[in-house]
Amino acid sequence: MGTLPRNRSISGGYDEEKLGFGNIFTDHMLTMQFSAEEGGWQDPEIRSLDNLVLHPATMVLHYGQQVFEGLKAFAGKDERDILVFRPDMNIARFNKSCERLCIPTLNPELFMEQMSLLIRTDRDWIPRTPGTSLYIRPTIIATDPFLGVRPSKKYLFFIILSPVGAYYPEGFEPVKIMVTDKYVRACPGGIGEAKTSGNYACSLLAAEEAHSLGFTQVLWLNAVDKASVEEVGTMNIFFRINDEIVTPALGGTILPGVTRDSVIRLARDIGLKVSERTISIQEVEEAAKIGSLQEMFGSGTAAVISPVSHFQYKGRNFVVGNGKTGEVAADLFDRITGMQTGSNPDPYGWVVNIGR
Ligand code: COI
């Protein structure tokens, strides 16, 4: 089964300044089982992080019936504080993804209670260095050992925790992205708005090709005519064109990001014009050509805000703004991370303190 990458003991410590993303795990995990025959979800348990033992016919390994989430906990100013950003939205999205994948949903209060218990158990693992947090990965997998194609009757829900730094090696430095018209991520009626493994598996080849050409991420176009922009890599995408902040409207093919929603709300409240609408790649290209594309940035839980400095489309290369992090991206990054860590006020009630 291999050894667990449990490569840090709290006493031994690790260098918080050098934290990357997703390669260090805390001591405990939460598990809970679902069995239709035994009355639904039962036996939530916090136990030592350990390998899962799965029958080789376990359905998730064959048909990908799986859903996950990503959210973050932060150390607050008071050492008793543990701040979680908008967990209600992640839990609601988790259940929506479950419905799309024919997976039984979870009671949101039970989810929140068990997740909080786990985080409090491993609270000493929450890093305190600016730019770091405890990434929370709730996941459900279909566990029937069965090779026929149908929804599983048994599921395992688990949550693991990982102290993280920046998602991209670039940190908050701008990234270069490649617009692909060769591959698509999601199509109408598909699973694009669900947070499920298949969406990420299908993105890998395009991302690998982009990496080999020196780009950090892929910008996806819509599947039907590849004319309009959808999202970028593992994030939602925003443009600032002539002082209008534009992001593609949600229509079933785009992940409804929690950070996306926060960006829209914050940007509107600081007086910026924000439009959720169809935006064609032609409009983006034209704006870049005539100099009205002031900024482009991605938003996501893992990356928060990731400025884009360059993009390539059909072999043509464009610089965004002056090729540096834009002022709106920088401002939103500060506002969101300030709120998440408790150093900025939270007029929206987005931050939930689970620590005391
Ligand atoms: C997130 O931003 O939380 C994500 O899910 C992105 C990725 C690490 C899959």
Side-chain angles (χ1 to χ4, degrees):
M1 277 281 162
T3 49
L4 288 177
R6 203 188 296 156
N7 48 0
R8 179 235 193 191
S9 72
I10 293 181
S11 55
Y14 60 85
D15 189 347
E16 281 190 13
E17 307 278 343
K18 295 199 179 122
L19 266 181
F21 184 88
N23 53 355
I24 295 176
F25 302 94
T26 70
D27 290 328
H28 294 91
M29 67 191 294
L30 172 93
T31 58
M32 188 160 54
Q33 328 280 335
F34 178 94
S35 161
E37 284 158 14
E38 285 158 42
W41 287 108
Q42 52 201 302
D43 300 334
E45 188 189 355
I46 292 174
R47 50 183 171 124
S48 294
L49 182 76
D50 207 351
N51 294 318
L52 301 177
V53 178
L54 298 174
H55 189 286
T58 300
M59 290 187 84
V60 68
L61 303 177
H62 299 270
Y63 308 121
Q65 198 193 2
Q66 184 263 15
V67 155
F68 70 97
E69 265 303 326
L71 57 165
K72 283 177 173 172
F74 299 83
K77 273 186 259 168
D78 184 306
E79 66 174 32
R80 289 168 300 172
D81 292 342
I82 303 173
L83 308 178
V84 185
F85 191 66
R86 309 191 74 180
D88 51 325
M89 279 201 84
N90 290 91
I91 294 172
R93 187 174 65 183
F94 188 83
N95 277 337
K96 202 161 175 236
S97 301
C98 284
E99 282 165 9
R100 180 64 182 82
L101 273 291
C102 298
I103 294 175
T105 56
L106 273 125
N107 176 307
E109 284 81 37
L110 177 68
F111 190 136
M112 188 65 199
E113 174 196 292
Q114 293 300 320
M115 182 171 73
S116 305
L117 275 175
L118 175 68
I119 297 167
R120 282 198 288 270
T121 303
D122 279 347
R123 64 188 307 153
D124 290 345
W125 287 82
I126 304 175
R128 306 195 80 88
T129 303
T132 64
S133 59
L134 187 71
Y135 188 76
I136 308 161
R137 175 50 66 86
T139 306
I140 287 189
I141 57 171
T143 51
D144 270 359
F146 179 61
L147 292 181
V149 177
R150 58 146 172 81
S152 179
K153 292 179 183 153
K154 292 202 174 103
Y155 297 87
L156 172 69
F157 172 66
F158 63 85
I159 305 181
I160 54 174
L161 305 173
S162 173
V164 298
Y167 183 72
Y168 295 116
E170 290 91 338
F172 186 59
E173 291 304 307
V175 298
K176 295 181 182 173
I177 61 174
M178 192 180 110
V179 184
T180 180
D181 54 2
K182 181 173 169 193
Y183 304 107
V184 293
R185 176 186 171 276
C187 59
I191 55 170
E193 69 178 345
K195 203 153 176 73
T196 182
S197 52
N199 285 325
Y200 297 83
C202 92
S203 74
L204 297 176
L205 183 58
E208 285 302 292
E209 290 184 9
H211 293 160
S212 70
L213 295 169
F215 298 94
T216 305
Q217 286 276 328
V218 167
L219 181 66
W220 302 102
L221 301 178
N222 71 317
V224 176
D225 58 8
K226 296 185 184 136
S228 61
V229 172
E230 297 250 299
E231 58 184 86
V232 59
T234 58
M235 300 180 292
N236 295 113
I237 187 77
F238 286 83
F239 304 90
R240 180 171 157 231
I241 300 174
N242 284 330
D243 283 326
E244 178 193 14
I245 309 289
V246 185
T247 192
L250 302 177
T253 55
I254 295 174
L255 191 83
V258 176
T259 313
R260 173 188 182 278
D261 186 82
S262 310
V263 163
I264 293 171
R265 182 76 190 271
L266 283 168
R268 283 193 178 134
D269 287 1
I270 55 180
L272 299 171
K273 180 179 179 212
V274 182
S275 309
E276 294 178 77
R277 63 167 171 86
T278 302
I279 174 157
S280 69
I281 187 63
Q282 198 186 349
E283 177 181 347
V284 176
E285 182 173 355
E286 282 307 310
K289 274 187 197 150
I290 62 173
S292 60
L293 178 62
Q294 298 152 297
E295 293 187 47
M296 192 190 296
F297 55 90
S299 72
T301 299
V304 192
I305 301 281
S306 180
V308 176
S309 59
H310 295 79
F311 70 97
Q312 185 184 81
Y313 175 53
K314 290 188 185 293
R316 302 188 286 271
N317 289 295
F318 301 91
V319 180
V320 180
N322 59 7
K324 301 207 166 73
T325 298
E327 56 184 308
V328 170
D331 183 43
L332 289 167
F333 178 85
D334 288 345
R335 283 173 194 270
I336 292 174
T337 54
M339 216 181 275
Q340 288 174 328
T341 53
S343 49
N344 282 6
D346 170 26
Y348 307 100
W350 285 345
V351 177
V352 181
N353 191 344
I354 59 164
R356 298 180 189 226

